[in-house]
Amino acid sequence: MTESLRGQFLIAAKRLRDDNFYKTVVLLLEHGEHGAMGLVINRPSSIRVAHALAGHFELPETDDVVFGGGPVELSALVILHDDSTLKEDGPPVLPGLFVGGSPDAFERVIAESAANDSMKHCFRVFSGYSGWGGGQLESEVARGDWLLHPACRELVFHDDPYAIYEVLLQKFYEANHLLPHRAKDATAN
């Protein structure tokens, strides 16, 4: 098996036309010989976090929305957060970025963030996730369906999630070009 891709961004190649992943960026949370799991980070929904968690917690109404994490288990909610005191959900995906699924993680991160500006946490709530069986993701990357780029917290919590795809494509091409610059006019060869 190749080295784990955990903590990498998968950027959908322009040729990937699958409706589930067209122009998406996936943060890989897990990757190993048995498969991979990640969250689409650039598909906000119109569902507010407070509404999605109503009946479970009493949360103040905020502008925070649930993101579509992928096509698998759409009723499952996951939270990405920066609260380092909640370590029961495992090691960080990236330095200072944790995954939570427990009621305590949701309640503590969201309620503390809404109640106290000085303790405000960065977080995103996702509905569903993206998953691949053993060897499936490696085949898709080898086929050119996905571009790989090191993940960073700043883009996970980017103010404009719709801009993440283009920002990452630009970063990928800058990091992987063979020529020192792009020619503005290819006929000027």
Side-chain angles (χ1 to χ4, degrees):
M1 184 183 108
T2 61
E3 187 175 315
S4 175
L5 299 175
R6 184 176 196 265
Q8 293 280 316
F9 282 135
L10 290 177
I11 308 162
K14 290 188 176 190
R15 66 189 209 102
L16 183 61
R17 300 290 185 196
D18 180 329
D19 289 342
N20 293 309
F21 296 111
Y22 182 68
K23 289 192 171 187
T24 61
V25 174
V26 177
L27 172 63
L28 281 175
L29 306 177
E30 295 296 333
H31 176 249
E33 66 183 64
H34 299 294
M37 177 185 154
L39 296 170
V40 174
I41 63 164
N42 64 328
R43 284 219 173 136
S45 74
S46 59
I47 301 167
R48 302 234 183 254
V49 169
H51 290 225
L53 295 172
H56 300 286
F57 309 107
E58 284 295 318
L59 298 173
E61 191 64 42
T62 65
D63 290 338
D64 297 309
V65 295
V66 175
F67 282 66
V72 181
E73 290 192 44
L74 295 173
S75 62
L77 294 178
V78 177
I79 186 170
L80 280 178
H81 62 85
D82 65 353
D83 187 347
S84 62
T85 64
L86 288 170
K87 293 183 182 176
E88 75 275 358
D89 290 323
V93 176
L94 300 169
L97 182 64
F98 304 89
V99 179
S102 69
D104 186 43
F106 280 97
E107 186 172 32
R108 216 163 108 193
V109 170
I110 297 169
E112 281 181 8
S113 185
N116 188 348
D117 275 344
S118 66
M119 301 247 334
K120 195 159 182 84
H121 295 290
C122 289
F123 70 89
R124 290 270 161 92
V125 174
F126 297 85
S127 171
Y129 63 90
S130 303
W132 293 265
Q136 182 182 0
L137 180 59
E138 293 84 350
S139 295
E140 291 179 15
V141 169
R143 191 172 58 219
D145 293 343
W146 297 102
L147 308 173
L148 292 166
H149 193 74
C152 64
R153 257 181 103 252
E154 295 75 29
L155 285 174
V156 171
F157 297 121
H158 195 281
D159 289 337
D160 182 3
Y162 296 109
I164 295 171
Y165 181 75
E166 293 299 330
V167 167
L168 268 170
L169 266 185
Q170 183 66 33
K171 286 181 177 287
F172 176 83
Y173 290 133
E174 286 172 3
N176 295 287
H177 64 79
L178 296 175
L179 300 174
H181 63 279
R182 291 186 192 262
K184 292 181 183 168
D185 181 7
T187 61
N189 237 347

